[in-house]
Amino acid sequence: MSKLVIVGTVAFDAIETPFGKTDKILGGAATYIGLAASQFKVDGAIVSIVGGDFPEENLDMLKSKNMNLSGLEVVKEGKTFFWSGKYHNDMNTRDTLITDLNVLADFSPRVPEAYRSSEVVMLGNLHPLVQLDVIAQMDYPKLIVLDTMNFWMDSALEDLMKVIAKVDVVTINDEEARQLSGEYSLVKAAQRIMEMGPKFVVIKKGEHGALLFGEDDVFFAPAMPLREVFDPTGAGDTFAGGFTGYLAKTGNYSYDNMKNAVINGSALASFCVEKFGPERLLDLTNTDVHQRIQQFKSLTQFDIKLT
Amino acid sequence: MSKLVIVGTVAFDAIETPFGKTDKILGGAATYIGLAASQFKVDGAIVSIVGGDFPEENLDMLKSKNMNLSGLEVVKEGKTFFWSGKYHNDMNTRDTLITDLNVLADFSPRVPEAYRSSEVVMLGNLHPLVQLDVIAQMDYPKLIVLDTMNFWMDSALEDLMKVIAKVDVVTINDEEARQLSGEYSLVKAAQRIMEMGPKFVVIKKGEHGALLFGEDDVFFAPAMPLREVFDPTGAGDTFAGGFTGYLAKTGNYSYDNMKNAVINGSALASFCVEKFGPERLLDLTNTDVHQRIQQFKSLTQFDIKLT
C-alpha cells in the first residue's frame, strides 16, 4: 500500500441533465478522485482550497474516507470554486453556464510534509503551473499521473508541455488527445503524446470506454452499457481516482497492472454516472465494486479456439 | 460445417475518402459478406443480381472463394447496381452521391435448391420484402441473421417489422437501433428490439466496436485501434459475414459461441478498412486472422484478483 497525493478542485457544482437539476452540490476533480481512490482504502491526501462557505460535514465525509485534509486550505473569508453546467440530450456534450474561480484564483498548493514521500501523485485538472508546483514538492514519486483539458492547451500550452514532460501517465479525452497531438487517429495521437515524455497514455472516450497505450501495447476497457446515464459529471475524475487508487494500493506500476487499474477506474466511473454528482460513490461497498468488475469480465472475456 | 445462404447486393462502388478516390470497383453487401464468410471455408451461396456489365473475373473470384453463384442472376441487357459515396474527414459520416438501382429494381431472389436446407441465412441490407421472400424459400433454417438500415425504417417500416419478427439476430448500427426502438440508451434499445422477435441483437458502433445482447447478457467487442482507417466501406457487412461465417462453420448458435462470432466479425472488419473496397479481404490468410484475434485478446483480456 503506497500513499497517494491528489491535487485538484474541491468545489460546488450545479448540474442540469435531462433527468433533473441540482442546487449547489459537492463537486470538484479532487473530490471525485478522492472518493474513488478511497474505495481501495489508500492513505491519500487531498491538496486543494475551499472557502469559508464549504460545509464542515463535507470535510468530515472526506476524512471518514481516509483522506488527509491537512493540505486542503480553507480561506475563511473566501468563496469555494463554483461550476455550473447543462448537459445536452445525448449526455455527451454540455454547456458551461458559470465558472466562478473564487478562492481557486490564488491557489498555491502545499503538499503536507508527511505525504511528500508518497509513491503516487494524481494531478487533477488545474493550471499546469499549479501541477508543476506540486511535482516540485514531491521527493521521489514512482508514478505521476496527469489529467488535463483543452482549456489549458488553448491558454497555457507552454506550461502544459513542461508538466507533460515530467509525468508518467497522461489521461485525456479523445478530442483533447487529437488537439494536443494534431493527429486524428488515436493510435498516432497516443504515440505523439508519449514522445512528449509520458510512458503511458490513457485516452478516455466517455460512453465508448478508455484506451491504455504503452510503448508497443494497447488495452481497451469498454464503458459498462447502462440502462440510464443519469449525470456524467465527475466520471473522468472518478476513473482517474480508481486508476491511481488501485495502483497505489497494489504498488505495482507495470503496464500489465495498469490494465487492471483501467478496469477498476471504468468500474467506478460506471457507478458515478448512476446518480447526480458524487452521491453514488458515497455508499459504494466493496461487494458492489467486485460485482461490477465481474460484469466487466463477462462483458469482454471470450475464449476462441484457433483452428 | 453448415451451409450458408447470403442475400444482398453485388454492386459497383465509387468511393472517395480523405486518402483517395476509386473508379467503379467491386462492392455490395453480399460481396463483403461472402468474402468474409469464405475465410471460414464455409459452403455459401450468394443470392443476388447483376447486369451484363459485371466482369466475369469478379464472378470467378467469388467462385474461387467457395461461393456458389447459381442464385446470382445475371441480366445480360441490364446494368449492375451502382453506389457512390464520399466520406467526411472523420470517416464516421458520409454523403451518398449516386444510387443507381439498375437491375436491383426488379430483383426477385431465388435460393438455389441445394441451399434451401442451409442452417444459416444472412439477410444483407435490402428491401424487407426481398428478405421475407428469401426466408419463405428456406426449409428449416436454424439461424436467420438480419441486417437493415434506416432507409427501410423510413420507407417500409411495416414490412421491416414482419422480417424482424421472423429472425433470430438483428445487426444494426447505434443510430438505427435508436430510431427503430425510440430509446436512446442502447441497453433499452436492444431490449425493445428483442421484444419485436429476435433473441439476439448486435449493435454496431463503427470505430467504437460492437455490442451483442442476449436475454440477460451483454458482450462487447472493441474495434481494433488502427493507425489509419483507409476506407470504412463494407466494414459492417464484413462484420456480418465474419459473424455468420464463424457460426456456420462451428454449427453452434449459442450465446457463448456468438461472442466468439462477434470477435471474428470484428477482426475481419478491422482488415476491411485497411484498403479501398474489398481489396484487403482478397488475399487474407488464416494466419493474418489468427494474429488479429490474438491482438483482440491482448486488447481486452485482463486478470484482476479480487481481494
Side-chain angles (χ1 to χ4, degrees):
Chain A
M1 179 81 75
S2 318
K3 284 185 181 173
L4 170 65
V5 168
I6 297 162
V7 60
T9 53
V10 173
F12 291 129
D13 288 346
I15 303 160
E16 188 173 344
T17 83
F19 296 101
K21 204 173 162 170
T22 69
D23 284 330
K24 285 188 175 186
I25 60 170
L26 176 62
T31 305
Y32 285 99
I33 294 167
L35 286 174
S38 76
Q39 202 60 43
F40 303 100
K41 316 254 183 303
V42 294
D43 181 1
I46 290 179
V47 178
S48 190
I49 189 167
V50 292
D53 57 346
F54 195 75
E56 196 70 37
E57 68 203 62
N58 285 346
L59 299 174
D60 291 342
M61 183 278 293
L62 288 169
K63 281 181 201 157
S64 78
K65 298 286 185 186
N66 223 16
M67 288 293 128
N68 181 296
L69 300 188
S70 56
L72 178 65
E73 190 183 345
V74 182
V75 183
K76 285 266 180 302
E77 66 286 6
K79 287 179 72 181
T80 300
F81 173 60
F82 173 60
W83 176 83
S84 167
K86 182 179 173 172
Y87 288 86
H88 301 166
N89 277 333
D90 69 1
M91 288 286 201
N92 287 321
T93 49
R94 68 185 185 192
D95 294 326
T96 288
L97 305 177
I98 303 169
T99 307
D100 288 337
L101 284 183
N102 298 331
V103 294
L104 199 66
D106 304 303
F107 177 40
S108 178
R110 293 270 311 155
V111 178
E113 204 62 58
Y115 287 85
R116 297 194 172 192
S117 59
S118 299
E119 287 193 1
V120 183
V121 183
M122 177 66 226
L123 302 171
N125 174 47
L126 272 177
H127 195 296
L129 290 177
V130 174
Q131 296 176 321
L132 277 173
D133 193 346
V134 169
I135 294 174
Q137 294 175 48
M138 299 302 300
D139 290 341
Y140 300 101
K142 291 198 175 164
L143 188 81
I144 307 179
V145 180
L146 171 76
D147 191 45
T148 189
M149 64 182 294
N150 50 2
F151 182 78
W152 308 115
M153 297 173 202
D154 297 333
S155 63
L157 184 60
E158 211 176 309
D159 296 326
L160 178 61
M161 293 305 286
K162 285 184 204 154
V163 194
I164 290 177
K166 285 179 187 287
V167 305
D168 303 290
V169 186
V170 168
T171 73
I172 191 170
N173 81 26
D174 43 1
E175 283 319 306
E176 290 159 354
R178 288 176 172 134
Q179 179 176 345
L180 183 62
S181 65
E183 295 283 355
Y184 186 81
S185 152
L186 296 179
V187 175
K188 289 187 186 175
Q191 284 170 345
R192 282 290 154 84
I193 296 169
M194 287 189 280
E195 286 162 14
M196 299 170 189
K199 286 193 290 294
F200 307 97
V201 173
V202 176
I203 298 183
K204 299 174 290 181
K205 304 199 297 169
E207 62 160 332
H208 299 302
L211 285 159
L212 165 68
F213 291 90
E215 195 175 359
D216 294 311
D217 295 298
V218 53
F219 177 71
F220 178 78
M224 181 58 58
L226 298 170
R227 288 183 60 81
E228 214 76 270
V229 170
F230 210 74
D231 171 19
T233 308
D237 296 314
T238 302
F239 174 89
F243 180 76
T244 47
Y246 182 82
L247 291 171
K249 178 196 166 190
T250 54
N252 173 347
Y253 314 117
S254 67
Y255 174 78
D256 270 346
N257 200 44
M258 276 190 199
K259 298 199 283 189
N260 297 342
V262 165
I263 293 290
N264 273 282
S266 300
L268 286 164
S270 76
F271 285 112
C272 176
V273 303
E274 289 181 346
K275 291 193 180 176
F276 269 115
E279 194 184 338
R280 185 68 183 91
L281 299 177
L282 298 180
D283 58 359
L284 211 54
T285 67
N286 244 344
T287 309
D288 293 333
V289 177
H290 288 187
Q291 281 175 351
R292 190 55 59 94
I293 287 173
Q294 288 297 350
Q295 290 175 326
F296 270 91
K297 281 198 177 173
S298 57
L299 183 64
T300 58
Q301 310 298 287
F302 60 89
D303 184 24
I304 294 180
K305 310 272 180 287
L306 296 173
T307 50
Chain B
M1 179 81 75
S2 317
K3 284 185 180 173
L4 170 66
V5 167
I6 297 164
V7 61
T9 54
V10 173
F12 291 130
D13 287 347
I15 303 161
E16 188 173 344
T17 83
F19 296 101
K21 204 172 162 170
T22 69
D23 284 329
K24 285 188 176 187
I25 59 170
L26 177 61
T31 304
Y32 286 99
I33 294 168
L35 286 173
S38 76
Q39 203 60 42
F40 303 100
K41 315 257 183 301
V42 293
D43 182 359
I46 291 180
V47 177
S48 190
I49 189 167
V50 292
D53 57 347
F54 195 74
E56 196 70 37
E57 68 203 62
N58 286 346
L59 299 175
D60 291 343
M61 183 279 291
L62 289 169
K63 281 182 201 158
S64 78
K65 298 289 185 183
N66 222 16
M67 289 292 129
N68 180 296
L69 300 187
S70 56
L72 178 65
E73 189 183 344
V74 181
V75 183
K76 284 268 180 301
E77 67 287 5
K79 289 178 71 179
T80 300
F81 173 60
F82 173 59
W83 175 84
S84 168
K86 181 177 173 173
Y87 288 86
H88 301 166
N89 278 332
D90 69 2
M91 288 287 200
N92 287 320
T93 48
R94 68 184 185 192
D95 294 325
T96 289
L97 305 176
I98 303 169
T99 306
D100 287 337
L101 284 183
N102 297 331
V103 294
L104 199 66
D106 305 304
F107 176 41
S108 178
R110 292 271 310 156
V111 178
E113 203 64 56
Y115 287 86
R116 297 192 173 194
S117 59
S118 298
E119 287 193 359
V120 184
V121 182
M122 178 65 226
L123 302 171
N125 174 46
L126 272 178
H127 196 296
L129 290 177
V130 173
Q131 296 176 321
L132 277 174
D133 192 347
V134 169
I135 295 174
Q137 294 176 47
M138 299 302 300
D139 290 341
Y140 301 102
K142 290 198 176 165
L143 188 81
I144 307 178
V145 181
L146 170 75
D147 191 46
T148 189
M149 66 182 292
N150 50 2
F151 182 78
W152 308 116
M153 296 172 204
D154 297 334
S155 63
L157 184 59
E158 210 176 309
D159 295 327
L160 178 60
M161 294 304 285
K162 285 184 202 155
V163 194
I164 290 177
K166 284 178 187 289
V167 305
D168 303 289
V169 186
V170 168
T171 74
I172 191 170
N173 81 25
D174 42 2
E175 283 319 306
E176 290 158 354
R178 288 176 171 133
Q179 179 176 345
L180 182 61
S181 65
E183 295 284 357
Y184 186 80
S185 153
L186 296 180
V187 175
K188 289 187 187 177
Q191 283 170 345
R192 282 290 153 85
I193 296 169
M194 287 189 278
E195 286 162 14
M196 298 170 189
K199 285 193 290 293
F200 307 97
V201 173
V202 176
I203 297 183
K204 300 175 289 182
K205 305 199 296 170
E207 63 161 329
H208 299 301
L211 286 159
L212 165 68
F213 291 90
E215 196 177 357
D216 293 310
D217 296 297
V218 53
F219 177 72
F220 178 78
M224 180 59 57
L226 298 169
R227 287 185 60 82
E228 215 75 91
V229 169
F230 211 73
D231 171 18
T233 309
D237 296 314
T238 302
F239 174 90
F243 180 76
T244 46
Y246 181 82
L247 291 172
K249 177 196 167 192
T250 54
N252 173 348
Y253 314 118
S254 68
Y255 175 79
D256 270 346
N257 200 44
M258 276 189 200
K259 298 200 282 192
N260 298 340
V262 165
I263 294 290
N264 274 281
S266 300
L268 286 164
S270 76
F271 285 113
C272 176
V273 303
E274 290 182 347
K275 291 193 179 176
F276 269 114
E279 194 184 338
R280 185 67 182 92
L281 299 178
L282 297 180
D283 57 359
L284 211 53
T285 67
N286 244 345
T287 310
D288 293 332
V289 178
H290 287 187
Q291 281 175 350
R292 190 56 58 95
I293 286 173
Q294 288 296 351
Q295 290 174 327
F296 270 91
K297 281 197 177 174
S298 57
L299 182 64
T300 58
Q301 310 297 286
F302 60 89
D303 185 24
I304 294 181
K305 311 271 180 285
L306 296 174
T307 50

